[in-house]
Amino acid sequence: MRRHFPLIMPRAILLASLVSVLLTGKTSAAIGSCEFSDSSLSFNGTPAQQAACLLRDVRRFGKVDKTSKALDPSFSSLINGAISVEKGSLLKYLQSSGIAETDIGGSIANPLSHAGSGDSKMPEVIYFVIHDVSSPNYAKNSFPDDINEASWSGNDLVRWQHDTGAHVYVNRVGQSTTARDLSIPWRATKFEVDLGVRSKGLFVHVELIQPRKSASPGPIGNDAVAPEPGFTKAQLQRLAVVYVAASVRRRRWLVPAFHAVLDEGIPDGHDDPQNFATNAWISEVLSLVSTIQHQK
């Protein structure tokens, strides 16, 4: 289910830079176009500046836009500020909406993981990584007509509950399941593996269900083509719920990031999520926060 493809544009210099940082103790290194601080175990800049770099659009075969994403100013203000949703208010919203905490990463009463594979002396989760499962691959065939309906087998969450490659899985009809509680340290990107065990627990990972098919021309068996739009409104809405719940548990807004951006420049990197409507998702987050804050 984790997808790989031949490296399109090697960047050995970037990898060498990262190795140098880890060995020499220098304070930062360029990871793709984002600057990562080895001392603070975080990307440089405000949360909004980090998000603008880490949410750059991802194209086919893992090509990442060079220009930082222009984020909604309201979202930038939100994540640069203190958490503005109380646990009690979130719990009330979840109960009224029929959403189980166990389906969105675990109890909101519990804290998230710490880096260093759960070392309480190291930073708690900072980053919320968005993936897509890139499966199944329909090769040269058309996508089934029902991929956005409960009848499509890919939307059956039972098949994802035991896939522990990520923390939470969100299907295309707006349902989710927890494969691994957000309190459990986990790594799901090559970037984290390169950083070593210190990174384990610094990121939480959410997979969006999305099939693929092959691009032509392209490597044999490639899965570069995703549906358009890539994700449904219901899927983005549930992703917003998972994001807000994770941030409330962390007591600060997490910095959202794309898998492919984190792996930018790393050989055999990933290309997900494809066709992600970032601005639409941000709108769902802002709408959800407003709804929770103003519920009766």
Side-chain angles (χ1 to χ4, degrees), residues 105-125:
S107 172
I108 62 173
N110 297 331
L112 301 188
S113 61
H114 285 261
S117 196
D119 186 344
S120 61
K121 297 178 181 178
M122 296 190 72
E124 200 173 341
V125 167

Side-chain angles (χ1 to χ4, degrees), residues 5-263:
F5 49 86
L7 181 65
I8 303 302
M9 189 178 297
R11 298 184 184 178
I13 294 177
L14 294 176
L15 294 177
S17 176
L18 174 59
V19 172
S20 175
V21 167
L22 298 180
L23 294 179
T24 66
K26 291 182 180 179
T27 58
S28 62
I31 307 302
S33 299
C34 307
E35 195 83 5
F36 187 81
S37 170
D38 184 52
S39 57
S40 66
L41 285 181
S42 64
F43 289 92
N44 293 341
T46 65
Q49 289 170 334
Q50 295 178 57
C53 188
L54 295 170
L55 291 177
R56 286 173 289 137
D57 289 338
V58 181
R59 311 297 179 184
R60 288 184 183 181
F61 299 106
K63 294 182 179 179
V64 177
D65 280 4
K66 302 305 177 187
T67 305
S68 291
K69 188 73 175 179
L71 301 179
D72 185 320
S74 295
F75 183 72
S76 294
S77 296
L78 180 78
I79 65 174
N80 278 340
I83 193 75
S84 54
V85 174
E86 297 179 354
K87 286 186 178 181
S89 297
L90 173 60
L91 185 59
K92 180 180 178 180
Y93 170 82
L94 295 176
Q95 292 173 339
S96 65
S97 302
I99 300 173
E101 296 171 75
T102 52
D103 291 337
I104 57 172
S107 172
I108 62 173
N110 297 331
L112 301 188
S113 61
H114 285 261
S117 196
D119 186 344
S120 61
K121 297 178 181 178
M122 296 190 72
E124 200 173 341
V125 167
I126 298 175
Y127 299 99
F128 182 90
V129 187
I130 301 169
H131 306 248
D132 80 59
V133 299
S134 310
S135 175
N137 183 356
Y138 287 97
K140 300 296 183 180
N141 299 315
S142 299
F143 294 121
D145 292 335
D146 65 342
I147 62 169
N148 297 333
E149 299 171 15
S151 57
W152 181 55
S153 61
N155 286 321
D156 183 359
L157 291 173
V158 173
R159 65 177 293 187
W160 304 109
Q161 286 173 340
H162 305 295
D163 188 302
T164 53
H167 289 95
V168 177
Y169 290 78
V170 182
N171 69 15
R172 303 182 69 81
V173 295
Q175 301 167 326
S176 58
T177 189
T178 300
R180 185 185 300 275
D181 193 285
L182 298 183
S183 64
I184 299 174
W186 190 244
R187 291 180 291 182
T189 67
K190 292 178 179 296
F191 170 72
E192 294 165 276
V193 173
D194 282 353
L195 281 179
V197 71
R198 297 175 309 147
S199 70
K200 190 175 183 179
L202 191 64
F203 302 74
V204 293
H205 300 276
V206 180
E207 289 273 9
L208 303 176
I209 307 305
Q210 182 190 71
R212 297 290 188 91
K213 60 183 182 179
S214 298
S216 182
I220 295 175
N222 78 83
D223 56 359
V225 179
E228 295 185 38
F231 307 97
T232 67
K233 180 178 179 63
Q235 200 167 19
L236 297 181
Q237 288 175 331
R238 178 53 65 93
L239 180 64
V241 173
V242 177
Y243 171 74
V244 170
S247 296
V248 168
R249 287 176 65 177
R250 176 59 177 88
R251 307 172 307 284
R252 62 170 279 181
W253 294 109
L254 298 183
V255 176
F258 290 150
H259 182 178
V261 177
L262 288 173
D263 281 359

